Amino acid sequence: MPKTLLSHDEIVQHLDLTRPLALILCGILHHVDDDLDPAGIMRQYIDALPAGSYVAITHFYDPDDCDEAHEMARELERRFIEMGLGSGWYRTRGQIASYFGDLELIEPGLVELDDWWPMGPAIRPRLTEERLLLGGVGRKPFRNGNVTHLLRR
């Protein structure tokens, strides 16, 4: 996928790969089957991004702790995959975190989405289904003088 998109003239003509970019993959990676290697796809994208770029990811989350949220994640995944709702894989925090590779995670890190953009003081506990989506933003660090081309502009 990355090789196809990043070699397509109609796409790359609009990108300046010498300057930081933002890659937003919200609601996408949880539709990519493990057989397609979502972590490998992300490595290719991250490798192609210039230093200083940001990557935002949201993903269906399986708390994997044998509680009600884990059971709900497993059932929802089954409904997506086996019952014709399309695709949707619920993955663990570790699996989702691996998609950021060596990016520096921005605070508050890889967390439930309401921890990124809270709607104000909690007036009730989160519903189980509200806990099954994680999000994070990572930044590709500058290394070995990668900042000099930006300072000359």
Side-chain angles (χ1 to χ4, degrees):
M1 206 166 22
K3 290 179 183 175
T4 303
L5 285 175
L6 294 175
S7 63
H8 197 284
D9 288 339
E10 288 189 33
I11 293 172
V12 295
Q13 73 178 342
H14 300 288
L15 301 176
D16 180 352
L17 292 172
T18 67
R19 301 183 71 186
L21 300 169
L23 176 62
I24 302 170
L25 294 160
C26 294
I28 295 172
L29 288 171
H30 51 241
H31 295 292
V32 178
D33 189 314
D34 286 339
D35 292 341
L36 297 173
D37 188 18
I41 290 170
M42 286 309 302
R43 271 191 306 278
Q44 291 177 49
Y45 275 124
I46 291 168
D47 288 348
L49 290 172
S53 294
Y54 288 84
V55 174
I57 296 172
T58 63
H59 198 293
F60 292 161
Y61 171 50
D62 176 1
D64 195 28
D65 55 10
C66 297
D67 73 355
E68 180 183 357
H70 168 70
E71 295 302 320
M72 182 179 279
R74 299 282 34 103
E75 177 60 20
L76 290 169
E77 179 175 290
R78 187 184 73 74
R79 289 182 185 193
F80 271 113
I81 297 166
E82 296 174 15
M83 299 180 75
L85 291 178
S87 61
W89 285 268
Y90 285 73
R91 295 186 173 109
T92 65
R93 179 179 302 276
Q95 290 170 308
I96 300 166
S98 75
Y99 301 158
F100 288 95
D102 63 354
L103 298 178
E104 298 168 345
L105 282 177
I106 306 301
E107 289 296 327
L110 181 60
V111 296
E112 294 173 16
L113 289 187
D114 279 351
D115 291 335
W116 263 100
W117 295 108
M119 301 300 287
I123 55 174
R124 62 169 173 72
R126 287 185 189 151
L127 301 173
T128 302
E129 57 270 20
E130 293 171 328
R131 297 181 42 227
L132 300 181
L133 196 61
L134 294 185
V137 176
R139 181 175 176 272
K140 187 170 184 176
F142 290 99
R143 300 200 200 294
N144 300 332
N146 287 338
V147 107
T148 56
H149 75 278
L150 294 174
L151 298 175
R152 288 189 206 135
R153 292 185 189 254

